[in-house]
Amino acid sequence: MAHAVPQRPNSSDTAVSRRVQTEGVFRKCDACGESVPVMALRRNLDVCPESGCGHHFQIGALRRVEITVDPDSFRELFGSIEPVDPLEFRARRSYAERLREAQRQTGLKEAVVCGEARIHGQDVVLAVMDCHFISGSMGSVVGEKITRAIEHATAMRRPIVIVCCSGGARMDEGALSLMQMAKTSAALYRHDQAGLACITVLTHPTLAGVSASFAFLGDVIIAEPKAMIGFTGAIVIEQTIKKKLPEGFQEAEFLLEHGQIDMVVERKNMRETLAKLLAFATHKPARRASATAEPIRMEGPEDAAAAQTEDGAIRPQGRAGGPAGRKRTAKQRKE
Amino acid sequence: MAPRPLSSYYLPFEQPLKAFDDRICKLEDLSKQNNMDLGADIAAQVAARERFLVETFSKLSSWERVQVARHVHRPQTADYVELMCEDFIELHGDRAFADDRAILTGFALMDGERFLLMGQHKGRDVHERAVCNFGLPQPEGYRKALWKMRLAEKYQLPIVSLIDTKGAAPDVGAEERGQSQAIAQNLMVMSGLKVPIVCIVIGEGGSGGALAIGVGDRFLIQEYAYFSVISPEGCASILWKDAERKAEAATALKLTASELLKLGIVDEIIPEPLGGAHRDPAAAARTLRATILRHLRELQTVPISQLLEQRYRKLRAIGKYREEVLEHVGAIVAD
């Protein structure tokens, strides 16, 4: 389904080359049907500027990086990992040939770009999928690069932001693709256990093997308007149940209504929203440490329950390092 | 003694077997009714039947193996529970919404070993199949499994997971209630559960819906079971817009036990009786039981921190790719 993006320039995704090639060219909006000048579209972050439309066009990974992170803050990681054809998969065309074509068309080696970046000055590790590369599907390389990005974030004690855009696991690598779901999820488990943040951004489409692994393992899950998100594709469901699907089924707003995601955010507000969330996710609990020490000055009982009743606040136990940690803080205060 | 046909349903390539079974039955009936000694004739037929089975099953195609994995009389989770366990206390419900009968969970006792057993169950007759939704779990099934796995962790019981599903339920309700999230959560939590986990594909290992109870320390597969990123039919309709080319797709996907072993996805193949588990469920269960016990006992000698590290390394290693390790020095193939 993600193949349906027309008029994509063949060369690399740099802003300059694209501007030169596409100057004066119109693109038809899939939602409202209007022809939109490419430059106007680009200025509007590839969102249809027609009044009342606001259709979010699919964008490549590099463009997404450009509009999401602070200028010149992105440094690519793991860019030398390339796909192979482990099953020697042949259909109408060989997988190897399909890979070469996708590489030529997108200028990318695979369907994900990873790196370090800053968002409003905050350090993050970023992984961005590209739906133009074999529908953004996840094979060994996508799984490996996302896993490495997560591990890198864990090691650097930084939050990870993953922008998802994928038709699911890549068929051409068989069960190897399927297992990337487990691999990426295992890495996120360790990241989570280290108390570090993961924010996922679900863009059109986020389906199947990607949806049912890291996409839905975000601490906070954001979606772009109208993005199609789900496990089983709508067509398959319709064929199986032989009934018409509800209006807006599997669209971002539908998921929000059913409690599956935290928010739907327009592209123009995405950077700002990520920055705000990251500030919450990485804030230093400085004031909390001194506040916790308060009851200790009274030389009263040190158990948490008593401490809680002293100031009337309900405070989960062990947040500031337990009673021992508090005692030290109290001593330091005296000195 | 002639093996009475245990299964009255014959797959297309098993048809000659039907002729043998009919003949053997007839000869036995004749000898009984007329008090004739037809022992020699019967023995000859039994030997010929055996030769046919050996020959046919030694060169099954991928698609034929898929058919064996889907055989209506192939033993299922509930059969193995009855055949393998001295005791089984079924535990129901996800504590939130429903008791999904497509996944069976409970405490099992086997040769003194206590563990949590869970598995997908398709149903053995029309009624059971309706109740179990043909073994296609809803999110509640995965959440039930997760709830019981956490209980197993609390009680320090190892987990044995029997995988047998075409996939997760493809319907509106499943999507509304977070099929993706339910699967993703299991993948993540299972990667870090502090008890040994043995996963075994006993029939169909269909995509994310199978993997959702398939992350652990051992990933085993029965001889005629399969594990795949997509069903052969689904793959064929994507590749050739023709589900009837499923046999070609099955070959391309490399989904058989021996191919998965070669790809490093499964750790061990569990042999089945001649002609498949459905020809002798009791024998299949004996082998399965011995295999489970061996792995459980092996894993229980490993300290839990080491076990978790091994589990992570095992998942981490899955995938094939190429990486230029040292730029400027030359490409090194590392997959």
Side-chain angles (χ1 to χ4, degrees), chain B residues 204-225:
Chain B
E204 295 192 82
S207 145
L211 185 62
I213 58 164
V215 178
D217 304 296
R218 294 282 190 276
F219 194 70
L220 317 174
I221 189 166
Q222 280 190 324
E223 194 175 351
Y224 300 113

PDB file of all heavy atoms in Angstrom, chain B residues 204-225:
ATOM      1  N   GLU B 204       0.963 -25.014  13.586  1.00  0.00           N
ATOM      2  CA  GLU B 204       1.184 -23.823  12.779  1.00  0.00           C
ATOM      3  C   GLU B 204       1.816 -22.720  13.631  1.00  0.00           C
ATOM      4  O   GLU B 204       1.346 -22.422  14.719  1.00  0.00           O
ATOM      5  CB  GLU B 204      -0.148 -23.317  12.233  1.00  0.00           C
ATOM      6  CG  GLU B 204      -0.790 -24.289  11.256  1.00  0.00           C
ATOM      7  CD  GLU B 204      -1.936 -23.636  10.513  1.00  0.00           C
ATOM      8  OE1 GLU B 204      -1.657 -22.935   9.537  1.00  0.00           O
ATOM      9  OE2 GLU B 204      -3.097 -23.828  10.918  1.00  0.00           O
ATOM     10  N   GLY B 205       2.860 -22.129  13.086  1.00  0.00           N
ATOM     11  CA  GLY B 205       3.476 -20.970  13.730  1.00  0.00           C
ATOM     12  C   GLY B 205       3.241 -19.782  12.839  1.00  0.00           C
ATOM     13  O   GLY B 205       4.101 -19.405  12.057  1.00  0.00           O
ATOM     14  N   GLY B 206       2.050 -19.209  12.934  1.00  0.00           N
ATOM     15  CA  GLY B 206       1.650 -18.166  11.998  1.00  0.00           C
ATOM     16  C   GLY B 206       1.964 -16.774  12.507  1.00  0.00           C
ATOM     17  O   GLY B 206       1.241 -16.213  13.336  1.00  0.00           O
ATOM     18  N   SER B 207       3.070 -16.222  12.071  1.00  0.00           N
ATOM     19  CA  SER B 207       3.378 -14.802  12.192  1.00  0.00           C
ATOM     20  C   SER B 207       3.363 -14.276  13.633  1.00  0.00           C
ATOM     21  O   SER B 207       3.621 -15.005  14.574  1.00  0.00           O
ATOM     22  CB  SER B 207       2.440 -14.066  11.232  1.00  0.00           C
ATOM     23  OG  SER B 207       2.017 -12.845  11.667  1.00  0.00           O
ATOM     24  N   GLY B 208       3.092 -12.987  13.788  1.00  0.00           N
ATOM     25  CA  GLY B 208       3.166 -12.332  15.099  1.00  0.00           C
ATOM     26  C   GLY B 208       2.243 -12.963  16.135  1.00  0.00           C
ATOM     27  O   GLY B 208       2.560 -12.980  17.318  1.00  0.00           O
ATOM     28  N   GLY B 209       1.136 -13.501  15.684  1.00  0.00           N
ATOM     29  CA  GLY B 209       0.201 -14.152  16.593  1.00  0.00           C
ATOM     30  C   GLY B 209       0.777 -15.397  17.227  1.00  0.00           C
ATOM     31  O   GLY B 209       0.367 -15.816  18.310  1.00  0.00           O
ATOM     32  N   ALA B 210       1.750 -16.011  16.552  1.00  0.00           N
ATOM     33  CA  ALA B 210       2.442 -17.183  17.102  1.00  0.00           C
ATOM     34  C   ALA B 210       3.603 -16.738  17.978  1.00  0.00           C
ATOM     35  O   ALA B 210       3.788 -17.213  19.097  1.00  0.00           O
ATOM     36  CB  ALA B 210       2.951 -18.071  15.969  1.00  0.00           C
ATOM     37  N   LEU B 211       4.356 -15.779  17.461  1.00  0.00           N
ATOM     38  CA  LEU B 211       5.541 -15.289  18.183  1.00  0.00           C
ATOM     39  C   LEU B 211       5.166 -14.687  19.535  1.00  0.00           C
ATOM     40  O   LEU B 211       5.970 -14.704  20.463  1.00  0.00           O
ATOM     41  CB  LEU B 211       6.271 -14.253  17.317  1.00  0.00           C
ATOM     42  CG  LEU B 211       7.589 -13.715  17.851  1.00  0.00           C
ATOM     43  CD1 LEU B 211       8.621 -14.823  17.992  1.00  0.00           C
ATOM     44  CD2 LEU B 211       8.131 -12.607  16.966  1.00  0.00           C
ATOM     45  N   ALA B 212       3.934 -14.177  19.638  1.00  0.00           N
ATOM     46  CA  ALA B 212       3.489 -13.497  20.858  1.00  0.00           C
ATOM     47  C   ALA B 212       3.518 -14.391  22.098  1.00  0.00           C
ATOM     48  O   ALA B 212       3.453 -13.892  23.214  1.00  0.00           O
ATOM     49  CB  ALA B 212       2.082 -12.936  20.673  1.00  0.00           C
ATOM     50  N   ILE B 213       3.611 -15.714  21.912  1.00  0.00           N
ATOM     51  CA  ILE B 213       3.877 -16.580  23.073  1.00  0.00           C
ATOM     52  C   ILE B 213       5.134 -17.404  22.788  1.00  0.00           C
ATOM     53  O   ILE B 213       5.302 -18.511  23.287  1.00  0.00           O
ATOM     54  CB  ILE B 213       2.673 -17.488  23.444  1.00  0.00           C
ATOM     55  CG1 ILE B 213       2.256 -18.383  22.271  1.00  0.00           C
ATOM     56  CG2 ILE B 213       1.482 -16.677  23.904  1.00  0.00           C
ATOM     57  CD1 ILE B 213       1.357 -19.562  22.697  1.00  0.00           C
ATOM     58  N   GLY B 214       6.039 -16.828  21.983  1.00  0.00           N
ATOM     59  CA  GLY B 214       7.178 -17.610  21.508  1.00  0.00           C
ATOM     60  C   GLY B 214       8.554 -17.050  21.797  1.00  0.00           C
ATOM     61  O   GLY B 214       9.511 -17.406  21.118  1.00  0.00           O
ATOM     62  N   VAL B 215       8.672 -16.162  22.786  1.00  0.00           N
ATOM     63  CA  VAL B 215      10.000 -15.631  23.099  1.00  0.00           C
ATOM     64  C   VAL B 215      10.522 -16.326  24.349  1.00  0.00           C
ATOM     65  O   VAL B 215       9.849 -16.344  25.376  1.00  0.00           O
ATOM     66  CB  VAL B 215       9.929 -14.098  23.332  1.00  0.00           C
ATOM     67  CG1 VAL B 215      11.298 -13.549  23.706  1.00  0.00           C
ATOM     68  CG2 VAL B 215       9.400 -13.406  22.085  1.00  0.00           C
ATOM     69  N   GLY B 216      11.697 -16.909  24.266  1.00  0.00           N
ATOM     70  CA  GLY B 216      12.206 -17.606  25.447  1.00  0.00           C
ATOM     71  C   GLY B 216      13.623 -18.100  25.289  1.00  0.00           C
ATOM     72  O   GLY B 216      14.375 -17.632  24.436  1.00  0.00           O
ATOM     73  N   ASP B 217      13.968 -19.075  26.159  1.00  0.00           N
ATOM     74  CA  ASP B 217      15.341 -19.589  26.168  1.00  0.00           C
ATOM     75  C   ASP B 217      15.551 -20.682  25.140  1.00  0.00           C
ATOM     76  O   ASP B 217      16.668 -20.941  24.709  1.00  0.00           O
ATOM     77  CB  ASP B 217      15.656 -20.134  27.563  1.00  0.00           C
ATOM     78  CG  ASP B 217      15.429 -19.071  28.613  1.00  0.00           C
ATOM     79  OD1 ASP B 217      16.144 -18.065  28.579  1.00  0.00           O
ATOM     80  OD2 ASP B 217      14.497 -19.222  29.421  1.00  0.00           O
ATOM     81  N   ARG B 218      14.488 -21.367  24.801  1.00  0.00           N
ATOM     82  CA  ARG B 218      14.576 -22.403  23.780  1.00  0.00           C
ATOM     83  C   ARG B 218      13.433 -22.201  22.800  1.00  0.00           C
ATOM     84  O   ARG B 218      12.305 -21.892  23.196  1.00  0.00           O
ATOM     85  CB  ARG B 218      14.432 -23.796  24.406  1.00  0.00           C
ATOM     86  CG  ARG B 218      15.553 -24.187  25.338  1.00  0.00           C
ATOM     87  CD  ARG B 218      16.800 -24.627  24.595  1.00  0.00           C
ATOM     88  NE  ARG B 218      17.767 -25.208  25.501  1.00  0.00           N
ATOM     89  CZ  ARG B 218      18.649 -24.510  26.216  1.00  0.00           C
ATOM     90  NH1 ARG B 218      18.673 -23.189  26.126  1.00  0.00           N
ATOM     91  NH2 ARG B 218      19.497 -25.110  27.027  1.00  0.00           N
ATOM     92  N   PHE B 219      13.741 -22.374  21.524  1.00  0.00           N
ATOM     93  CA  PHE B 219      12.686 -22.324  20.511  1.00  0.00           C
ATOM     94  C   PHE B 219      12.786 -23.623  19.721  1.00  0.00           C
ATOM     95  O   PHE B 219      13.716 -23.806  18.943  1.00  0.00           O
ATOM     96  CB  PHE B 219      12.863 -21.088  19.617  1.00  0.00           C
ATOM     97  CG  PHE B 219      11.659 -20.763  18.780  1.00  0.00           C
ATOM     98  CD1 PHE B 219      10.498 -20.288  19.372  1.00  0.00           C
ATOM     99  CD2 PHE B 219      11.666 -20.949  17.409  1.00  0.00           C
ATOM    100  CE1 PHE B 219       9.370 -19.985  18.609  1.00  0.00           C
ATOM    101  CE2 PHE B 219      10.546 -20.655  16.641  1.00  0.00           C
ATOM    102  CZ  PHE B 219       9.389 -20.167  17.248  1.00  0.00           C
ATOM    103  N   LEU B 220      11.848 -24.523  19.989  1.00  0.00           N
ATOM    104  CA  LEU B 220      11.888 -25.849  19.384  1.00  0.00           C
ATOM    105  C   LEU B 220      10.726 -25.996  18.414  1.00  0.00           C
ATOM    106  O   LEU B 220       9.744 -25.260  18.481  1.00  0.00           O
ATOM    107  CB  LEU B 220      11.790 -26.926  20.469  1.00  0.00           C
ATOM    108  CG  LEU B 220      12.621 -26.689  21.735  1.00  0.00           C
ATOM    109  CD1 LEU B 220      12.309 -27.762  22.773  1.00  0.00           C
ATOM    110  CD2 LEU B 220      14.109 -26.675  21.415  1.00  0.00           C
ATOM    111  N   ILE B 221      10.845 -26.961  17.534  1.00  0.00           N
ATOM    112  CA  ILE B 221       9.761 -27.160  16.575  1.00  0.00           C
ATOM    113  C   ILE B 221       9.598 -28.640  16.291  1.00  0.00           C
ATOM    114  O   ILE B 221      10.580 -29.375  16.200  1.00  0.00           O
ATOM    115  CB  ILE B 221      10.035 -26.350  15.272  1.00  0.00           C
ATOM    116  CG1 ILE B 221       8.827 -26.366  14.334  1.00  0.00           C
ATOM    117  CG2 ILE B 221      11.283 -26.868  14.541  1.00  0.00           C
ATOM    118  CD1 ILE B 221       8.902 -25.325  13.216  1.00  0.00           C
ATOM    119  N   GLN B 222       8.364 -29.079  16.206  1.00  0.00           N
ATOM    120  CA  GLN B 222       8.115 -30.473  15.823  1.00  0.00           C
ATOM    121  C   GLN B 222       8.428 -30.639  14.343  1.00  0.00           C
ATOM    122  O   GLN B 222       8.338 -29.700  13.554  1.00  0.00           O
ATOM    123  CB  GLN B 222       6.664 -30.857  16.129  1.00  0.00           C
ATOM    124  CG  GLN B 222       6.448 -31.197  17.598  1.00  0.00           C
ATOM    125  CD  GLN B 222       5.082 -31.802  17.859  1.00  0.00           C
ATOM    126  OE1 GLN B 222       4.106 -31.412  17.229  1.00  0.00           O
ATOM    127  NE2 GLN B 222       5.010 -32.741  18.780  1.00  0.00           N
ATOM    128  N   GLU B 223       8.735 -31.867  13.985  1.00  0.00           N
ATOM    129  CA  GLU B 223       9.243 -32.180  12.653  1.00  0.00           C
ATOM    130  C   GLU B 223       8.376 -31.640  11.517  1.00  0.00           C
ATOM    131  O   GLU B 223       8.887 -31.119  10.526  1.00  0.00           O
ATOM    132  CB  GLU B 223       9.351 -33.708  12.546  1.00  0.00           C
ATOM    133  CG  GLU B 223      10.158 -34.192  11.379  1.00  0.00           C
ATOM    134  CD  GLU B 223      10.335 -35.715  11.413  1.00  0.00           C
ATOM    135  OE1 GLU B 223       9.972 -36.340  12.443  1.00  0.00           O
ATOM    136  OE2 GLU B 223      10.816 -36.262  10.416  1.00  0.00           O
ATOM    137  N   TYR B 224       7.053 -31.764  11.647  1.00  0.00           N
ATOM    138  CA  TYR B 224       6.179 -31.345  10.545  1.00  0.00           C
ATOM    139  C   TYR B 224       5.435 -30.047  10.843  1.00  0.00           C
ATOM    140  O   TYR B 224       4.446 -29.723  10.192  1.00  0.00           O
ATOM    141  CB  TYR B 224       5.189 -32.466  10.184  1.00  0.00           C
ATOM    142  CG  TYR B 224       5.907 -33.712   9.758  1.00  0.00           C
ATOM    143  CD1 TYR B 224       5.863 -34.870  10.522  1.00  0.00           C
ATOM    144  CD2 TYR B 224       6.676 -33.722   8.592  1.00  0.00           C
ATOM    145  CE1 TYR B 224       6.560 -36.015  10.138  1.00  0.00           C
ATOM    146  CE2 TYR B 224       7.379 -34.847   8.204  1.00  0.00           C
ATOM    147  CZ  TYR B 224       7.314 -35.984   8.983  1.00  0.00           C
ATOM    148  OH  TYR B 224       8.014 -37.096   8.608  1.00  0.00           O
ATOM    149  N   ALA B 225       5.897 -29.306  11.857  1.00  0.00           N
ATOM    150  CA  ALA B 225       5.293 -28.005  12.126  1.00  0.00           C
ATOM    151  C   ALA B 225       5.994 -26.973  11.250  1.00  0.00           C
ATOM    152  O   ALA B 225       7.034 -27.248  10.668  1.00  0.00           O
ATOM    153  CB  ALA B 225       5.458 -27.657  13.601  1.00  0.00           C
TER     154      ALA B 225
END
